[in-house]
Amino acid sequence: MNRTAGKLSLLLLLTPFVLWIVLLVLLPHVQMLRVSFQVRESWDSLSWGVTQYSNFFAESYYWRTFIRTGVMSMLTTALTLLIGFPIAWYIAKLARGRARGVLFLACLIPFWASELVRTYGWMILLRESGLFSGWLQALGWVDGPVELLYNDAAVIVGLVYNALLFMVVPLVTTLDGLDDNLVEAGYDLGGNHWNVLREVVIPWAMPGIVSGCIVVFMLTLGSYLTPTLMGGKDSAWFTQQIFTQFITRFNWEQGAALGVLLLVLSSLLVWLGLRLTGQNLRKVLG
Amino acid sequence: MIRSVPRSRWFISLYGLYLLAFFIYLALPLVVTAVFAFNDSNFPSLPWQGFTLDWYFADAAESGNRTGLFHDQGLLSALWVSVLVAFWVTVISVALGCVNAVLFERIQFRGKELLYLVMLLPLVIPGVILGVSILVFYSGMANQVSLNWGIELDLFRPGLPLVIAGQVAFITTLSTLIIAARLRKFDPQLEEAALNLGATPIVAWFTVTLPWLLPAIFGAAAMAFLMSFENFNTTVMLTGSDTPLTVALFNRLREGSTPVLNAVALLLMAVSALLAMATLRRS
């Protein structure tokens, strides 16, 4: 291929990519950033300012929800890792032959249903007229119907449920590559379960742990359905506030500022996570 | 903790119990949702009143107060909207994914590493934000144009074109990753052989490279269709008067739940399962 043809094919291939990323991702985000610094003085005049951001810090409801969402997302991520790790270990190291494939596929089953359907399933189970309440009454453990839905614990149960797949898959992939001999050597050198886990298994699995945690954290932080449908009056989620500003109050400037803040929070924590563990985005996602 | 290391009996049974509990936890909400689609009661809750297909086939005009899924015009039209959106999202994002995969796997150019990272960006942006930013940009532009020049750009108002745009924004990244992974395993010598045997680059692409990519293209298409169909976070910000199914279901759910919702949920699960099975079998 000569140089001109090479240049031409590069141009032809680059154009759709550039159109997609610029028109659908970069420009909209630049515009959102711009709008977040615009202050509406009357219906047709705007000026530049940081009113929306000072609103965020002045109004305790905003930043409290912000911190709550961040903390709950980290808690969900940690729980998902704790629950998912033994499962991934079993699939990668203990199960054999057919059982392995079947167990792995079983982990994927919930994802044949959308988040809405999964959340709806939990609502049927947990609400006052739900199955758990009925079973507890049948067992005689409680006297009347109990409301298990609409609290933070229910939200966490739902969020962990939604996130498990994204933790188990990367963990299985990395643990698969761990040579059994390394683990045996750990025991032969006098290590107990805890030592081997800490010195051999976890360092090896770190790339999988990091990539699982990042994906789970991002998904949880940005989730809307589960906290909205399963949370109570006090379990506000930050995405709900963005939604309220845009759809109910029609205050785009404030909504854009909250959106920028959420984006900054998630990018910052992802970046910190990568930094602390010495990973990079390309390895984790691509 | 591996096979060759001795484990005590109680450890093994405890581990087994944990696995069992885990898979019950995974299955329970879905099983319950599916079962209550057939309960002969007006609420999806205990007690069990007997088996019925009313929630699929009942017609309020003929038999009283129940409207089954197949007579529920609201849900059926939402289902159609979702199929329409998913179709276009699949076509556009898979086409873009093919082009991107070739760009990143086969062409050398300056700044490729940086562009690759930019390509991954939509995956680290929460879906709500993606929807909001597209709403602000396009709808804001439509407002400005209407204000300054009196021209109505309805295409850029909340509605199906914007929903499709919002979903394409992040689904393209996923389809690119799937197709690029397959292209990476392709032996370029095969294509060179085709060229040596007298094929033009276009013919070589369509007769050698594209058939090799086909499984990944089908996989990416199935994934794109499902992701689009199930998406809520981006869609809800961009939807206009024609609501896709997930948004319509969400609105119904807020009004109160009836077993019709279970019927829809079961139908969706069955369709995704079939689609997933078809892709697994192919690959």
Side-chain angles (χ1 to χ4, degrees):
Chain A
M1 237 191 281
N2 61 38
R3 278 184 69 92
T4 350
K7 277 237 168 80
L8 189 69
S9 61
L10 173 62
L11 199 70
L12 280 178
L13 291 168
L14 207 54
T15 310
F17 170 78
V18 169
L19 283 179
W20 160 60
I21 207 82
V22 170
L23 287 181
L24 294 184
V25 182
L26 297 180
L27 270 183
H29 282 86
V30 171
Q31 178 65 7
M32 183 172 75
L33 189 66
R34 230 172 69 103
V35 168
S36 75
F37 284 106
Q38 286 176 343
V39 183
R40 194 163 281 279
E41 289 171 325
S42 67
W43 73 274
D44 65 344
S45 70
L46 292 166
S47 68
W48 298 98
V50 291
T51 314
Q52 278 83 243
Y53 291 94
S54 54
N55 280 348
F56 170 80
F57 290 104
E59 194 83 52
S60 73
Y61 183 62
Y62 286 144
W63 58 262
R64 269 175 211 274
T65 312
F66 189 68
I67 292 172
R68 227 185 78 87
T69 307
V71 171
M72 291 262 287
S73 300
M74 282 193 251
L75 187 66
T76 305
T77 311
L79 269 174
T80 312
L81 178 62
L82 277 180
I83 294 174
F85 196 88
I87 304 298
W89 180 264
Y90 192 89
I91 293 174
K93 287 284 158 226
L94 295 173
R96 271 186 187 164
R98 266 185 87 79
R100 226 179 108 91
V102 170
L103 284 178
F104 194 70
L105 278 185
C107 283
L108 303 185
I109 284 175
F111 299 86
W112 293 355
S114 66
E115 189 187 352
L116 188 73
V117 172
R118 283 176 256 150
T119 310
Y120 181 53
W122 279 109
M123 290 172 73
I124 296 178
L125 284 169
L126 293 177
R127 66 181 161 202
E128 206 174 351
S129 59
L131 264 75
F132 282 160
S133 169
W135 287 335
L136 286 176
Q137 287 175 72
L139 285 170
W141 291 1
V142 289
D143 294 329
V146 277
E147 180 67 88
L148 299 166
L149 198 64
Y150 309 125
N151 57 55
D152 285 357
V155 173
I156 298 249
V157 167
L159 288 173
V160 169
Y161 186 80
N162 283 330
L164 271 166
L165 169 79
F166 301 97
M167 188 64 88
V168 170
V169 171
L171 281 179
V172 169
T173 316
T174 41
L175 287 177
D176 230 8
L178 172 62
D179 192 342
D180 282 1
N181 289 329
L182 285 176
V183 180
E184 270 177 40
Y187 283 106
D188 288 345
L189 292 169
N192 54 28
H193 289 327
W194 170 243
N195 284 339
V196 172
L197 186 70
R198 214 187 50 185
E199 305 285 342
V200 180
V201 176
I202 290 182
W204 179 273
M206 213 47 184
I209 294 176
V210 173
S211 88
C213 284
I214 284 180
V215 174
V216 167
F217 179 77
M218 299 271 330
L219 282 177
T220 310
L221 196 69
S223 66
Y224 175 80
L225 281 173
T226 309
T228 307
L229 292 172
M230 294 177 76
K233 288 255 179 298
D234 305 322
S235 6
W237 207 255
F238 201 64
T239 47
Q240 288 168 354
Q241 293 187 340
I242 299 177
F243 186 85
T244 311
Q245 294 297 340
F246 270 95
I247 308 293
T248 332
R249 315 231 327 236
F250 219 68
N251 185 348
W252 283 18
E253 291 79 16
Q254 187 65 56
L258 298 182
V260 169
L261 285 165
L262 184 68
L263 197 56
V264 169
L265 174 70
S266 77
S267 320
L268 200 71
L269 285 169
V270 169
W271 180 80
L272 261 178
L274 291 172
R275 245 307 139 82
L276 289 176
T277 51
Q279 305 285 319
N280 70 50
L281 191 66
R282 181 170 182 153
K283 263 200 297 196
V284 166
L285 289 177
Chain B
M1 284 189 299
I2 53 173
R3 296 199 148 270
S4 53
V5 173
R7 290 156 291 169
S8 60
R9 181 168 289 168
W10 68 266
F11 181 81
I12 294 174
S13 44
L14 213 64
Y15 210 152
L17 273 179
Y18 180 74
L19 282 175
L20 188 70
F22 178 80
F23 285 107
I24 290 177
Y25 172 67
L26 280 192
L28 200 57
L30 301 185
V31 172
V32 162
T33 308
V35 167
F36 279 112
F38 302 107
N39 189 11
D40 194 3
S41 145
N42 286 333
F43 302 99
S45 60
L46 289 173
W48 182 256
Q49 305 273 19
F51 181 86
T52 178
L53 286 174
D54 275 5
W55 302 113
Y56 283 97
F57 298 110
D59 188 353
E62 285 170 15
S63 62
N65 55 0
R66 285 181 187 176
T67 307
L69 168 60
F70 296 121
H71 292 279
D72 191 321
Q73 286 312 317
L75 287 179
L76 286 181
S77 66
L79 187 68
W80 175 241
V81 169
S82 277
V83 170
L84 207 65
V85 168
F87 172 77
W88 285 111
V89 169
T90 307
V91 170
I92 300 172
S93 63
V94 169
L96 278 170
C98 284
V99 177
N100 289 351
V102 175
L103 177 70
F104 285 110
E105 292 301 322
R106 302 296 287 280
I107 311 265
Q108 296 304 324
F109 57 96
R110 239 183 300 159
K112 186 165 145 179
E113 280 297 305
L114 182 73
L115 280 195
Y116 191 81
L117 282 182
V118 173
M119 193 272 292
L120 292 177
L121 269 186
L123 288 190
V124 284
I125 301 171
V128 175
I129 310 279
L130 211 54
V132 159
S133 69
I134 287 177
L135 177 72
V136 167
F137 183 62
Y138 286 103
S139 211
M141 188 154 74
N143 286 342
Q144 283 299 319
V145 168
S146 155
L147 206 66
N148 294 341
W149 295 293
I151 305 165
E152 290 302 328
L153 292 175
D154 284 334
L155 191 68
F156 291 163
R157 302 272 181 200
L160 297 189
L162 275 200
V163 171
I164 293 172
Q167 295 185 354
V168 164
F170 73 96
I171 292 177
T172 299
T173 300
L174 297 169
S175 67
T176 303
L177 289 176
I178 294 175
I179 298 170
R182 174 92 182 163
L183 190 57
R184 205 168 300 151
K185 293 188 199 134
F186 178 73
D187 183 359
Q189 286 184 346
L190 289 176
E191 213 176 73
E192 280 162 28
L195 293 174
N196 285 340
L197 291 170
T200 63
I202 305 269
V203 171
W205 163 258
F206 277 102
T207 52
V208 180
T209 319
L210 197 62
W212 167 264
L213 285 182
L214 226 45
I217 290 177
F218 275 111
M223 181 277 313
F225 195 89
L226 278 184
M227 294 286 276
S228 161
F229 207 88
E230 297 184 345
N231 183 269
F232 180 84
N233 287 0
T234 308
T235 309
V236 72
M237 289 294 177
L238 300 170
T239 180
S241 51
D242 292 334
T243 50
L245 190 62
T246 42
V247 180
L249 280 180
F250 177 73
N251 292 337
R252 288 280 180 99
L253 199 50
R254 304 212 93 174
E255 289 165 15
S257 53
T258 73
V260 177
L261 300 182
N262 297 56
V264 182
L266 181 59
L267 191 75
L268 291 184
M269 282 191 258
V271 171
S272 341
L274 282 178
L275 207 56
M277 226 105 88
T279 355
L280 281 180
R281 184 145 294 184
R282 279 198 74 94
S283 53

